[in-house]
């Protein structure tokens, strides 16, 4: 093979040879509006993501150029880009909103890398679009950095997520509760298509627009289904299963999304649109991370049911694709939706067994696991550190389980639980060291706690990025011990608990 043709050693690309295409724009003007990013004043790079650049085959040297900053601030065009804002609708906090759309996000196009993967590049905070409604089209440093950090944190925990290539800050004032400053991220994901895209066309009675959109998603991301007569049903089934699995992963990591509106749900099962999200510190099963959600619609323990309901909205919107006969189509839709509870339960059981170091499956495992979670909930023990400490428990009855005891308030209940856990481990001849290694590979030590994000934000607002850099380095190895960064594993100190995060962004 000619060296120039070998995809493994094809040269890295620069900003002129990224070869952007925008296949979403081929769908036609009913699906989007053409827009131009609005320039920012004095844009500066706060952070660029070399891991994401690698996904795009982009030469990391490009990240250090002034041109990179200007392009990803929206101040000059990216060669080959075809900037659009897409139209969608959605259920927000359960209420129907007939029209939303990318109010501050601009899709530049897709890059196909040498492995054949396609990646959307989307500027978030790059100015107004026809869907901005009353918004200013901007994003502030605080929310942009939170999104940037979360994408990396979840990705490295093994939770599917959008990520970002760059975070650029500028001088432009942005009015929120106070005056803040503008920032823009370049979000990168295989696709940003949401449940709400389908809800829009269904609700408008434009059912003929559903199939081209579904086929676009299928051709791009489910090529094994392309052209099959049952492709729409199989795709909806895949979305349902992926959504169930995604939410099972959130639960297992103690992650709360905060705004599970149907316009924030990805048709690829990715975590999408980070706002007032949060990882749980002291465990409260009813934890609500979003101060703009007083009713607790999106509380931690409601996320699985909300995911199910959201899937019902997507499937309902796609019923016209399922059969000509409406009754038959509705029946197929119900069958697809019924995949959710099983897929969720299966993923949940698999993830939690692994977190507890259990290899075999036994019927009373869920009860054993729930008893432990109840212990955490009652004493508001730190979710992450308690589960991490579980790996240090030994099967021998005389093991003092010191690390775990330090986390749990109700020691009497713990002492009632531990013998059952040990008996369960002995029943599968569990080896302490081997089990601990397995458990430490799925119970993280380091998560993106709000107070850690807040420290990086405080520095970023003064123009610095060393804390962002350090935090990212820690979060990229969440399962490693990293003794030099042990302070990043700790619970927030008393003065930094309960940081209020809201929909303001
Ligand atoms: P979110 O709650 O961030 O998912 O946003 C819900 C809707 O409001 C989406 O259509 C966003 O594009 C839009 N939106 C949020 N903030 C702004 C803003 N500052 N300017 C314009 N549109 C916005
Ligand atoms: Mg959104």
């Amino acid at each position: 093979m000619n060296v120039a043709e070998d995809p493994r050693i094809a040269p890295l690309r620069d900003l002129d040879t990224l070869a952007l295409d925008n296949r979403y724009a081929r769908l036609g003007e009913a699906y989007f509006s053409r827009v131009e990013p609005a320039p920012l004043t004095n844009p500066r790079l706060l952070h660029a993501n070399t891991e994401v650049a690698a996904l795009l085959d982009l030469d990391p040297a490009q990240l250090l150029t002034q041109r990179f900053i200007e392009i990803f601030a929206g101040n000059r065009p990216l060669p080959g880009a075809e900037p659009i804002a897409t139209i969608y609708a959605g259920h927000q906090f359960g209420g129907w909103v007939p029209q939303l759309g990318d109010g501050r996000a601009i899709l530049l196009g897709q890059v196909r890398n040498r492995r054949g993967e396609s990646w959307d590049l989307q500027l978030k905070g790059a100015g107004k679009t026809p869907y901005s409604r009353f918004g200013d089209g901007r994003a502030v440093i605080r929310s942009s950095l939170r999104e940037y950090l979360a994408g990396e944190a979840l990705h490295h925990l093994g939770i599917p997520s959008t990520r970002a290539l760059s975070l650029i800050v500028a001088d432009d004032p942005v009015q929120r509760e106070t005056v803040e400053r503008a920032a823009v991220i370049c979000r990168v994901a295989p696709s940003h298509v949401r449940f709400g895209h389908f809800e829009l066309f269904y609700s408008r009675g434009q059912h003929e627009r559903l199939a081209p959109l579904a086929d676009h998603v299928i051709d791009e991301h489910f090529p094994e289904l392309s052209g099959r007569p049952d492709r729409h049903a199989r795709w909806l089934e895949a979305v349902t299963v992926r959504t169930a699995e995604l939410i099972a992963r959130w639960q297992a990591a103690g992650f709360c999304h905060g705004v599970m509106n149907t316009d924030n749900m990805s048709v690829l099962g990715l975590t999408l649109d980070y706002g007032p999200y949060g990882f749980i510190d002291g465990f409260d099963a009813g934890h609500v991370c979003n101060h703009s959600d007083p009713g607790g619609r999106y509380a931690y323990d409601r996320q699985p049911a909300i995911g199910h309901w959201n899937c019902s909205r997507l499937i309902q919107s796609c019923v016209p694709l399922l059969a000509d006969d409406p009754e038959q189509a509705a029946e197929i839709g119900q069958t697809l939706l019924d995949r959710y509870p099983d897929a969720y339960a299966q993923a949940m059981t698999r993830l939690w067994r692994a977190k507890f170091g259990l290899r075999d499956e036994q019927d009373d495992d869920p009860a054993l696991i729930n008893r432990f979670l109840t212990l955490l909930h009652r004493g508001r023990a730190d979710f992450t550190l308690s589960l991490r400490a579980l790996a240090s428990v030994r099967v021998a009855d005389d093991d003092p389980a010191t690390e775990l005891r330090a986390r749990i308030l109700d020691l009497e209940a713990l002492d009632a639980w531990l013998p059952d856990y040990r008996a369960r481990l002995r029943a599968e001849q569990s080896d302490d060291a081997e089990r601990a290694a397995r458990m430490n590979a799925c119970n993280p030590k380091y998560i993106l706690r709000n107070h850690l994000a807040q420290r990086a934000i405080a520095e970023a607002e003064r123009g610095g990025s060393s804390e962002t850099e350090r935090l990212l380095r820690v979060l990229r190895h969440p399962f490693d011990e990293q003794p030099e960064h042990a302070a990043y594993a700790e619970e927030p100190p008393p003065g930094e608990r309960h940081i209020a995060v809201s929909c303001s962004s």
Side-chain angles (χ1 to χ4, degrees):
M1 182 188 272
N2 181 324
V3 167
E5 285 170 5
D6 185 341
R8 289 163 305 174
I9 47 177
L12 287 172
R13 305 179 203 186
D14 61 28
L15 295 167
D16 291 305
T17 53
L18 265 183
L20 238 71
D21 183 14
N22 195 340
R23 288 182 295 282
Y24 199 91
R26 305 287 97 73
L27 279 168
E29 311 258 335
Y31 296 85
F32 60 84
S33 297
R34 294 189 188 275
V35 288
E36 287 301 328
L40 287 169
T41 311
N42 189 20
R44 291 152 337 257
L45 185 69
L46 191 91
H47 207 271
N49 194 332
T50 49
E51 288 189 8
V52 171
L55 294 177
L56 308 174
D57 298 337
L58 178 62
D59 183 348
Q62 295 286 308
L63 308 179
L64 305 172
T65 63
Q66 184 59 26
R67 188 155 170 250
F68 178 86
I69 297 177
E70 287 170 19
I71 286 176
F72 289 100
N75 288 21
R76 68 193 266 183
L78 176 62
E82 206 175 326
I84 60 172
T86 71
I87 186 166
Y88 53 81
H91 282 86
Q92 299 192 315
F93 292 91
W96 170 241
V97 185
Q99 196 213 291
L100 292 156
D102 295 321
R104 53 174 169 171
I106 298 180
L107 179 63
L108 300 176
Q110 293 93 42
V111 170
R112 196 176 289 286
N113 69 14
R114 53 192 159 186
R115 288 197 301 234
E117 301 161 344
S118 171
W119 296 98
D120 267 7
L121 301 191
Q122 190 196 58
L123 298 182
K124 181 169 177 180
K128 281 191 190 167
T129 78
Y131 314 116
S132 299
R133 298 182 295 164
F134 308 109
D136 55 12
R138 291 301 183 191
V140 296
I141 295 176
R142 165 177 58 81
S143 65
S144 304
L145 182 49
R146 280 176 55 85
E147 176 145 15
Y148 192 91
L149 292 168
E152 292 310 289
L154 269 76
H155 171 76
H156 287 280
L157 286 170
I159 305 177
S161 176
T162 63
R163 298 175 75 186
L165 172 67
S166 54
L167 167 52
I168 286 162
V169 300
D171 288 344
D172 309 73
V174 177
Q175 181 69 50
R176 294 293 180 261
E177 286 78 4
T178 60
V179 176
E180 300 185 48
R181 267 174 307 123
V184 59
I185 60 170
C186 176
R187 200 154 57 170
V188 176
S191 168
H192 291 85
V193 176
R194 302 146 190 271
F195 288 12
H197 282 97
F198 292 88
E199 291 180 279
L200 177 102
F201 296 115
Y202 175 72
S203 70
R204 287 185 170 177
Q206 297 173 338
H207 297 177
E208 73 288 359
R209 302 225 188 275
L210 293 167
L213 183 56
D215 287 336
H216 165 80
V217 172
I218 290 167
D219 294 344
E220 294 278 317
H221 306 289
F222 299 84
E224 66 284 4
L225 300 178
S226 282
R228 283 175 52 159
D230 64 347
R231 64 192 180 281
H232 295 136
R234 296 288 72 80
W235 161 67
L236 286 168
E237 182 179 27
V239 182
T240 304
V241 169
R242 283 195 195 189
T243 303
E245 290 178 351
L246 173 72
I247 292 166
R249 287 184 188 280
W250 289 354
Q251 301 304 103
F255 176 78
C256 299
H257 181 282
V259 198
M260 290 176 69
N261 295 336
T262 54
D263 51 297
N264 292 339
M265 298 294 292
S266 148
V267 299
L268 300 188
L270 307 170
T271 312
L272 173 67
D273 270 13
Y274 292 97
Y277 66 83
F279 282 86
I280 295 182
D281 296 311
F283 184 53
D284 169 4
H287 178 65
V288 181
C289 62
N290 178 4
H291 282 240
S292 319
D293 181 16
R297 178 177 170 87
Y298 299 135
Y300 170 79
D301 58 1
R302 299 196 63 191
Q303 295 190 126
I306 292 289
H308 191 197
W309 189 81
N310 287 348
C311 287
S312 81
R313 297 302 85 211
L314 172 67
I315 292 170
Q316 175 67 55
S317 302
C318 294
V319 159
L321 298 175
L322 295 176
D324 291 333
D325 170 45
E327 235 169 82
Q328 195 196 347
E331 238 169 73
I332 299 173
Q334 186 60 50
T335 323
L336 298 172
L337 183 61
D338 288 345
R339 293 282 285 117
Y340 185 98
D342 261 359
Y344 177 75
Q346 268 182 32
M348 217 38 204
T349 320
R350 178 172 45 81
L351 291 167
W352 280 101
R353 279 211 174 90
K355 289 176 83 70
F356 279 69
L358 306 178
R359 272 178 324 215
D360 299 348
E361 295 182 18
Q362 291 199 8
D363 289 346
D364 30 10
D365 290 344
L368 184 76
I369 291 167
N370 280 325
R371 271 170 68 204
F372 184 77
L373 290 177
T374 305
L375 274 180
L376 300 193
H377 173 85
R378 288 226 189 95
R380 297 294 188 267
D382 188 80
F383 182 84
T384 303
L385 296 176
S386 304
L387 285 161
R388 182 81 176 183
L390 206 52
S392 64
V393 172
R394 304 185 153 269
V395 274
D397 286 322
D398 59 358
D399 165 46
T402 319
E403 235 183 280
L404 186 58
R405 290 180 80 82
R407 300 266 157 220
I408 307 289
L409 274 185
D410 186 348
L411 292 177
E412 215 174 295
L414 180 64
D415 287 334
W417 181 82
L418 271 174
D420 294 341
Y421 180 50
R422 291 196 169 108
R424 175 64 184 81
L425 294 175
R426 276 196 290 266
E428 59 177 44
Q429 287 88 43
S430 200
D431 172 79
D432 287 337
E434 184 273 338
R435 182 183 68 254
R438 259 190 293 121
M439 291 171 76
N440 284 338
C442 65
N443 291 313
K445 175 160 178 161
Y446 299 96
I447 52 159
L448 178 56
R449 297 177 189 266
N450 271 341
H451 74 287
L452 299 177
Q454 200 53 44
R455 291 176 191 174
I457 290 166
E459 191 206 20
E461 285 178 339
R462 297 190 303 267
S465 60
S466 61
E467 193 50 40
T468 297
E469 180 59 43
R470 206 157 32 240
L471 185 53
L472 282 171
R473 231 177 298 140
V474 173
L475 295 173
R476 282 181 172 152
H477 304 279
F479 303 107
D480 294 357
E481 275 301 319
Q482 307 188 55
E484 70 283 20
H485 295 305
Y488 286 79
E490 292 304 320
E491 292 182 66
E496 293 176 72
R497 287 189 193 150
H498 312 297
I499 292 168
V501 286
S502 69
C503 279
S504 153
S505 61

